[in-house]
Amino acid sequence: MKRERLDKVLANMAFGTRKEVKALVKQGLVVVDGVVATDPGMHVIAEEQDITVDGEPLNFKRWVYVLLNKPPGVVSATEDNVHQTVVDLLPYEWAVKVHPVGRLDIDTEGLLLLTNDGQLSHSLLSPKKKVDKEYFARIDGPVTERHVQEFAKGVELEDFTTLPAKLEVLSSGETSEVRVTIMEGKFHQVKRMFAAFGLHVTYLQRIRMGPLHLDPALAPGEYRELTEEELHLLQNINKE
């Protein structure tokens, strides 16, 4: 287990800035293992020790796994000078820790995992793992069986040819609705694949990433921690 400065742990848990946390210690409001802390720089193992602040227990978690239903207009980043970011939607004690696993375009909605588990994040994004991503999309124009076959072969784009993708047509007409499953998830990939056939994506929502599905109970902008079962399924990918 990792030892960290007490003031850093408390600041990361949103008990205040480093300066404010030091004031709490000075006031005798921080107790570690039943003993009033006097040094904000003392090193603690937050997962193992009993820490309270003004009587409130510190429920410290080393690893955070958050399932977010990303809304449109929000960027998949930890900071941005212009737009609201996905971490801005989270509580401070999570926001200061996590990063998005991959990215969704600013106008794309749906499933986004955020975590501070770098090993898991790397595994899910590694091209070698071929973790598939499934999207629901609305298309301006008819999507036909020809497109299904072309997606299955891989679509040739300007800079690369995609891996074979699964395209399921839910409805076809002036506006078509489809589900598409891809392996890579490169920049604007789904939109570019349809654009290669003169089709325009008007709505895009990620509904699955590997074994992790978008929770229908989450409205855009809402989030929750992963369940133990969901985390187990993702960690199994990591061990393959």
Side-chain angles (χ1 to χ4, degrees), residues 90-109:
L90 305 180
Y92 176 80
E93 60 266 29
W94 289 352
V96 296
K97 291 183 176 183
V98 302
H99 61 269
V101 180
R103 65 184 304 279
L104 294 176
D105 297 338
I106 188 170
D107 59 345
T108 300
E109 302 181 20

Side-chain angles (χ1 to χ4, degrees), residues 93-209:
E93 60 266 29
W94 289 352
V96 296
K97 291 183 176 183
V98 302
H99 61 269
V101 180
R103 65 184 304 279
L104 294 176
D105 297 338
I106 188 170
D107 59 345
T108 300
E109 302 181 20
L111 185 156
L112 187 66
L113 175 65
L114 299 102
T115 184
N116 60 339
D117 186 340
Q119 183 177 2
L120 178 64
S121 178
H122 173 74
S123 177
L124 293 173
L125 296 176
S126 171
K128 294 181 180 179
K129 295 293 183 179
K130 293 184 171 61
V131 177
D132 57 348
K133 296 95 177 171
E134 184 177 359
Y135 296 81
F136 168 80
R138 292 193 185 95
I139 312 297
D140 185 12
V143 180
T144 67
E145 180 61 28
R146 179 178 74 88
H147 300 117
V148 174
Q149 295 173 3
E150 293 295 335
F151 271 53
K153 291 188 295 185
V155 178
E156 186 175 346
L157 303 177
E158 289 183 1
D159 51 342
F160 77 106
T161 299
T162 73
L163 291 173
K166 179 182 177 181
L167 175 60
E168 180 184 358
V169 181
L170 304 176
S171 65
S172 181
E174 291 185 9
T175 297
S176 299
E177 293 189 346
V178 302
R179 279 198 291 260
V180 58
T181 303
I182 61 175
M183 292 293 183
E184 302 101 331
K186 294 183 182 294
F187 185 63
H188 290 324
Q189 182 173 333
V190 173
K191 296 174 184 175
R192 293 178 65 198
M193 290 172 74
F194 282 102
F197 301 98
L199 297 170
H200 176 63
V201 176
T202 59
Y203 176 81
L204 189 61
Q205 177 192 49
R206 184 157 67 188
I207 57 177
R208 183 175 61 82
M209 181 178 186

Side-chain angles (χ1 to χ4, degrees), residues 220-234:
E222 292 185 339
Y223 54 85
R224 64 166 173 79
E225 290 188 87
L226 292 189
T227 65
E228 290 186 9
E229 181 181 0
E230 289 169 334
L231 181 57
H232 176 70
L233 290 172
L234 291 179

Side-chain angles (χ1 to χ4, degrees), residues 62-77:
R62 171 66 59 189
W63 306 114
V64 179
Y65 306 91
V66 181
L67 174 63
L68 169 71
N69 185 355
K70 178 193 167 302
V74 178
V75 296
S76 301

